[in-house]
Amino acid sequence: MTERLVVVGADAAGMSAASQARRMRGPDDLQIVAFERSTHTSYAACGIPYWVSGDVSGPEALVARSPEQHRSRGIDLRMSTEVVAVDVAAGTVTARDLATGAEETLAYDHLVLATGASPLRPPVPGIDAVGVYGVQTLDDGAALLAGLEALGEGPRRALIIGGGYIGIEMAEAMCSRGLEVTVITMGEEPMDTLDPDMGRLVHEAMAAMGIDVRTATAIEAIETDAAGRAVGARAGGELFSADLVVLGTGVRPNTALAAAAGLPLGQYGGLVTDRRMRVQGYANVWAGGDCVEVLDLVSSRRVAIALGTHANKHGQVIGTNVGGGYASFPGVVRTAISKVCDLEIARTGLREADAVAAGFEPVSVRVESSTRAGYYPGAQPLTVKMIAERRTGRLLGVQIVGREAAAKRIDAAAVALWNRMTVEEMTALDLGYAPPFSPVWDPVLIAARKAVEAVNRTR
Amino acid sequence: MTERLVVVGADAAGMSAASQARRMRGPDDLQIVAFERSTHTSYAACGIPYWVSGDVSGPEALVARSPEQHRSRGIDLRMSTEVVAVDVAAGTVTARDLATGAEETLAYDHLVLATGASPLRPPVPGIDAVGVYGVQTLDDGAALLAGLEALGEGPRRALIIGGGYIGIEMAEAMCSRGLEVTVITMGEEPMDTLDPDMGRLVHEAMAAMGIDVRTATAIEAIETDAAGRAVGARAGGELFSADLVVLGTGVRPNTALAAAAGLPLGQYGGLVTDRRMRVQGYANVWAGGDCVEVLDLVSSRRVAIALGTHANKHGQVIGTNVGGGYASFPGVVRTAISKVCDLEIARTGLREADAVAAGFEPVSVRVESSTRAGYYPGAQPLTVKMIAERRTGRLLGVQIVGREAAAKRIDAAAVALWNRMTVEEMTALDLGYAPPFSPVWDPVLIAARKAVEAVNRTR
């Protein structure tokens, strides 16, 4: 008998799940219906800042697979159709065609919730004014580009609210477009996914790029002109004038639908699943992508991390399980990399504050090294911070700030964390060495050696 | 009572050992005497190709620490002095001043053998002719540069014997200097530290750079002119004319002294040590650097690997142990990276042939991916080969050939190998993702997914 898989949300997690299930089970065995409330499928949201900057030519480049491509693979895809209710007892979803308002109730054998995350909008006056832009969807990107074009040439000023990944990437994009840029963040430093001492390095580098970074500053209101158009913001008691305002204030799991259905949500509002990405307590309901919480393997706590690479893995795991195979997603170590112009920023594991919150006593070291052998042309400075547990020396986290091939160096540390290595074990790691690529002591190994000494001093 | 540490060979391993022992024990506690037969200490031999290419300004840039710097740290350094005999029963070394011929016998409490490796010179007629250059020592580099200068401007042709690391790096150097370059290798493909299918990619890229690569070709003789100067070579029955000939035909552990002293040597002629780098069976004799064999953690066999990064680690471990601490060198996973012009080459673990020789049944996959998200400007192709054990899926090796930040991606695989991960475990690894640095599925993870499928097909 043909089973039916219903997918809610046709972006990375949802369509990876659908595609993988389809690879494993033919149309006679598994009917797949996917609902998407927007007009786009499977697009790279993380590429939007680079489209806005002009590095990527157009939105179509960001679409990994179009609705037509999905349909041609035997997926019944309903665009501009929003699932408005899930009845897990009855095993049905109710979907509304956003153009006509018509509703349909459909039974499922397997349900995949991949509803993503929604941007957090500071609840201040004027936040919904014309000229205030998000960068979450392709439509957001198009609106921002249209707004930019309407400004014409000449001196223009952008105000970025938020100093995290989106904030710094949009700061780069606005610099690329020739705007003067101010970044306002509530954090002690920008990039508060790093410890403040490492965030300070980002701050200094951004200042040297001509970006005005205001820290520990809360947005109070968007200022508008008589036509209701944003002309700046009031923050920290100061008035910042701007031709456009960009919001990069984070996201939260989009789980209103799941909550209404009574499904279990965690501390950060994300769906709680088991290792196979099955919603806890529901045999045939799966969830993945930005709408779930995942296990942080270092702190052993659940966290919400909106990242395309995780969403794709979740979809792959769900699709394999729905397809009759076995796959699991053990968790994350919170690896993340980014850049602002030529400054690369990477982190994995816990920050000092995270470590303390998880009950570890952290020991930290910071080393200055170089991206290549010191004598090799183009060698650039690189700062590595390493955090270990007191006494045991277990690696807890690594942060890297530097230029040119700095960011992906975090991967070696991420794999070490995954394997619960101690910093002493790490000192012997056989990492790649040649003068164009690394000093003879790899920066991560130098940090590990210093961390061993620091751990020994605090035993 | 003051003990005496005698170090034979004052390059990376020897002087790292001396420096670390000195950090741990003061001059009243430990006298340190180091013998060096050349006129240089602690230099980056791996930087010589980049000096010859002109990327590095002069030999002084390659010297990490001069004799004077070592002496100022309380190390009694005897330059141009060769240790000609070791008597392990008596606990003495006999050293000869190469200028005067005077010999001295000195007792030691701890002995460190760090005698390095010697280049293999093909035993063919003319190999010692003027115009045939090695690239092992700073003096070799200076001789080659003088030879280059003597050629003047205009069309010149270099013949490189050997297609391994030194061979390709010298091919790059000679290209940078504007010479026409031919590389002759006995291997099926250049870079025979890779499997032939990956070496083929290197071959094609080198050909596209205008480098003439002749594979499966043995050198038969160096051709000389009436003055005894090299004017080319005969190889594979063909005559190759050249203005200079560079030897990059590998090295072997330099252990004649150790052999004469009756110390244990392994299959590759390297000294055999325990995990603490103590020569097996000798309580107070230590050895490190290119003159030792080390444990390959994947094959569980001893191998000889001449690499500065290992030599530095060995020295650090020996110095810590001689200093009264505890440190060990568990082994290697045979990570190595290099480049020829903008083509980056990386490997870790076993090649297919190594895996078979070690008794594994290997399963291999090869994937084409990209260095950045496909839509991000500057994305470059990248080929990853992954080798796993049949049935268990244990990771056995990874090879990467590509451009721009391709090489250091091997580190994630090297740490996975170190931790004996299976390819299935690897598919979940939390590696850094952002569009400028990686596709949403990291190339190493794509390879791991394919490897899981391949392993499953052969169960």
Side-chain angles (χ1 to χ4, degrees):
Chain A
M1 205 190 66
T2 307
E3 286 193 319
R4 182 185 292 147
L5 166 64
V6 168
V7 175
V8 184
D11 199 358
M15 295 320 280
S16 290
S19 301
Q20 176 67 2
R22 173 56 74 232
R23 271 191 287 271
M24 297 180 71
R25 296 174 66 176
D28 292 341
D29 182 34
L30 186 73
Q31 183 196 0
I32 305 180
V33 182
F35 294 101
E36 169 58 42
R37 65 181 179 184
S38 84
T39 56
H40 305 287
T41 52
S42 305
Y43 65 91
C46 31
I48 293 174
Y50 306 105
W51 170 34
V52 172
S53 71
D55 287 318
V56 174
S57 56
E60 52 297 330
L62 300 180
V63 176
R65 231 172 246 163
S66 67
E68 294 64 39
Q69 288 171 311
H70 285 300
R71 288 189 181 118
S72 75
R73 297 157 77 104
I75 295 169
D76 178 0
L77 180 61
R78 319 275 179 91
M79 300 301 294
S80 303
T81 305
E82 182 168 11
V83 172
V84 293
V86 173
D87 183 336
V88 289
T92 61
V93 300
T94 301
R96 179 184 299 152
D97 182 319
L98 295 179
T100 65
E103 291 195 357
E104 176 193 12
T105 294
L106 199 71
Y108 62 80
D109 297 290
H110 299 275
L111 176 66
V112 175
L113 295 174
T115 46
S118 297
L120 290 167
R121 292 174 83 84
V124 299
I127 195 73
D128 296 320
V130 174
V132 178
Y133 300 97
V135 281
Q136 171 81 355
T137 64
L138 291 183
D139 291 341
D140 289 341
L144 175 46
L145 279 167
L148 255 178
E149 193 161 328
L151 290 179
E153 298 300 319
R156 295 152 302 164
R157 190 184 294 270
L159 190 61
I160 317 277
I161 314 293
Y165 292 102
I166 296 293
I168 66 161
E169 288 166 7
M170 289 311 299
E172 173 182 326
M174 292 295 106
C175 285
S176 296
R177 290 290 186 180
L179 281 76
E180 281 182 63
V181 177
T182 299
V183 174
I184 293 179
T185 174
M186 290 175 66
E188 180 181 341
E189 295 293 350
M191 288 309 290
D192 62 6
T193 51
L194 306 181
D195 283 321
D197 59 330
M198 296 295 282
R200 181 78 209 162
L201 302 179
V202 178
H203 189 158
E204 289 164 0
M206 289 175 76
M209 292 165 192
I211 299 169
D212 181 17
V213 181
R214 302 299 180 97
T215 56
T217 302
I219 178 91
E220 290 146 8
I222 302 294
E223 299 289 320
T224 52
D225 63 12
R229 203 190 143 70
V231 293
R234 211 172 57 238
E238 198 176 337
L239 196 67
F240 296 86
S241 68
D243 299 297
L244 51 80
V245 177
V246 181
L247 298 179
T249 36
V251 298
R252 59 166 282 140
N254 196 357
T255 48
L257 182 70
L263 296 172
L265 303 184
Q267 174 183 5
Y268 300 99
L271 277 154
V272 176
T273 74
D274 65 14
R275 285 168 67 90
R276 295 179 76 178
M277 304 309 295
R278 193 195 308 258
V279 173
Q280 218 136 64
Y282 295 82
N284 62 341
V285 183
W286 310 79
D290 296 356
C291 68
V292 303
E293 294 184 7
V294 292
L295 186 63
D296 171 2
L297 296 170
V298 187
S299 69
S300 302
R301 295 174 170 206
R302 294 200 161 269
V303 292
I305 295 175
L307 203 55
T309 187
H310 296 329
N312 275 283
K313 286 191 191 114
H314 297 165
Q316 178 82 11
V317 165
I318 293 169
T320 300
N321 288 319
V322 170
Y326 176 81
S328 67
F329 183 84
V332 300
V333 294
R334 304 177 73 162
T335 310
I337 60 179
S338 188
K339 77 184 189 76
V340 52
C341 302
D342 66 343
L343 188 79
E344 301 187 9
I345 302 157
R347 58 152 287 161
T348 190
L350 306 182
R351 295 168 299 183
E352 287 181 76
D354 300 323
V356 170
F360 291 107
E361 182 170 328
V363 175
S364 298
V365 295
R366 215 172 68 192
V367 302
E368 310 290 327
S369 182
S370 148
T371 54
R372 310 178 179 193
Y375 55 79
Y376 193 89
Q380 300 263 13
L382 181 77
T383 304
V384 180
K385 178 167 185 169
M386 188 171 283
I387 302 167
E389 185 185 17
R390 182 173 168 185
R391 294 190 64 86
T392 70
R394 177 180 169 190
L395 179 69
L396 297 179
V398 176
Q399 296 160 37
I400 300 177
V401 173
R403 289 166 207 263
E404 193 225 14
K408 281 293 270 180
R409 290 171 187 271
I410 204 73
D411 286 351
V415 182
L417 262 183
W418 190 274
N419 288 286
R420 297 178 72 112
M421 293 183 82
T422 67
V423 288
E424 183 144 6
E425 287 165 347
M426 287 178 73
T427 60
L429 281 173
D430 189 0
L431 303 184
Y433 162 64
F437 303 112
S438 170
V440 70
W441 282 102
D442 187 276
V444 171
L445 301 189
I446 297 174
R449 280 171 58 189
K450 293 279 174 203
V452 170
E453 292 170 14
V455 167
N456 287 343
R457 278 197 299 273
T458 60
R459 265 187 212 281
Chain B
M1 206 190 66
T2 307
E3 286 193 321
R4 182 185 291 146
L5 166 64
V6 168
V7 175
V8 185
D11 199 357
M15 296 320 280
S16 290
S19 301
Q20 176 66 3
R22 175 54 76 232
R23 272 191 286 273
M24 298 181 70
R25 296 175 65 177
D28 293 341
D29 182 34
L30 186 73
Q31 184 195 1
I32 305 179
V33 182
F35 294 101
E36 170 57 43
R37 65 182 179 184
S38 83
T39 55
H40 305 286
T41 52
S42 305
Y43 64 91
C46 30
I48 293 173
Y50 305 104
W51 170 34
V52 172
S53 70
D55 287 318
V56 175
S57 56
E60 52 296 329
L62 300 180
V63 176
R65 231 173 245 164
S66 68
E68 294 65 38
Q69 287 171 310
H70 285 300
R71 288 191 181 116
S72 74
R73 298 158 76 105
I75 295 168
D76 179 1
L77 181 62
R78 318 277 179 90
M79 300 300 294
S80 303
T81 304
E82 183 167 10
V83 171
V84 292
V86 172
D87 184 335
V88 289
T92 61
V93 300
T94 301
R96 180 183 298 153
D97 182 320
L98 294 179
T100 66
E103 291 195 357
E104 176 193 10
T105 294
L106 199 71
Y108 63 79
D109 298 291
H110 297 276
L111 177 65
V112 175
L113 295 174
T115 47
S118 297
L120 290 166
R121 292 174 82 84
V124 299
I127 195 75
D128 296 318
V130 174
V132 179
Y133 301 96
V135 281
Q136 171 82 357
T137 64
L138 291 183
D139 291 341
D140 288 342
L144 174 47
L145 279 168
L148 256 179
E149 192 162 328
L151 289 180
E153 298 300 321
R156 297 151 300 164
R157 190 183 294 269
L159 191 60
I160 317 277
I161 315 293
Y165 293 102
I166 296 292
I168 65 159
E169 288 166 6
M170 289 310 301
E172 172 180 328
M174 293 294 105
C175 285
S176 296
R177 290 290 186 182
L179 281 76
E180 282 183 61
V181 176
T182 299
V183 173
I184 293 179
T185 176
M186 291 173 67
E188 181 182 341
E189 294 293 350
M191 289 308 292
D192 62 7
T193 51
L194 306 181
D195 283 321
D197 59 330
M198 296 294 282
R200 180 78 209 162
L201 302 180
V202 177
H203 189 158
E204 288 164 1
M206 290 175 75
M209 293 165 193
I211 299 169
D212 181 17
V213 180
R214 302 300 181 98
T215 56
T217 301
I219 178 93
E220 290 146 8
I222 302 294
E223 299 290 319
T224 53
D225 63 12
R229 206 191 140 67
V231 293
R234 213 175 53 242
E238 198 177 336
L239 195 66
F240 295 87
S241 68
D243 298 296
L244 51 79
V245 178
V246 180
L247 298 179
T249 36
V251 298
R252 57 166 283 140
N254 196 357
T255 47
L257 181 69
L263 296 173
L265 303 184
Q267 176 182 3
Y268 300 99
L271 277 154
V272 177
T273 73
D274 64 14
R275 282 168 68 90
R276 295 180 74 178
M277 304 310 294
R278 194 194 306 260
V279 173
Q280 217 136 63
Y282 295 82
N284 62 343
V285 183
W286 310 79
D290 295 356
C291 68
V292 303
E293 293 183 7
V294 292
L295 186 63
D296 171 1
L297 296 170
V298 187
S299 69
S300 302
R301 295 177 169 202
R302 296 200 159 268
V303 292
I305 295 176
L307 202 54
T309 188
H310 296 330
N312 274 283
K313 286 193 191 114
H314 297 166
Q316 177 82 11
V317 165
I318 293 169
T320 299
N321 288 318
V322 170
Y326 176 80
S328 67
F329 183 85
V332 300
V333 294
R334 305 178 74 162
T335 310
I337 60 180
S338 188
K339 77 184 190 76
V340 52
C341 302
D342 66 343
L343 187 79
E344 301 187 10
I345 302 156
R347 56 152 287 162
T348 190
L350 307 181
R351 296 167 299 183
E352 287 181 76
D354 300 323
V356 170
F360 292 107
E361 181 170 330
V363 175
S364 298
V365 295
R366 214 172 68 191
V367 302
E368 310 290 328
S369 182
S370 149
T371 54
R372 310 178 180 193
Y375 55 79
Y376 193 89
Q380 301 264 12
L382 180 77
T383 305
V384 180
K385 178 167 185 169
M386 188 171 283
I387 302 167
E389 185 184 17
R390 182 175 169 185
R391 294 190 66 84
T392 70
R394 177 181 168 188
L395 178 68
L396 297 179
V398 175
Q399 297 160 36
I400 300 176
V401 173
R403 290 165 208 262
E404 192 226 18
K408 282 292 270 179
R409 290 171 188 270
I410 204 72
D411 287 351
V415 182
L417 262 183
W418 189 275
N419 288 286
R420 297 178 72 113
M421 292 183 83
T422 67
V423 289
E424 183 144 8
E425 287 165 347
M426 287 179 72
T427 59
L429 280 173
D430 188 0
L431 303 184
Y433 161 64
F437 303 113
S438 171
V440 71
W441 281 102
D442 187 277
V444 171
L445 300 189
I446 297 174
R449 279 171 59 190
K450 293 278 173 203
V452 170
E453 291 170 14
V455 167
N456 287 344
R457 279 196 299 271
T458 60
R459 267 187 213 278

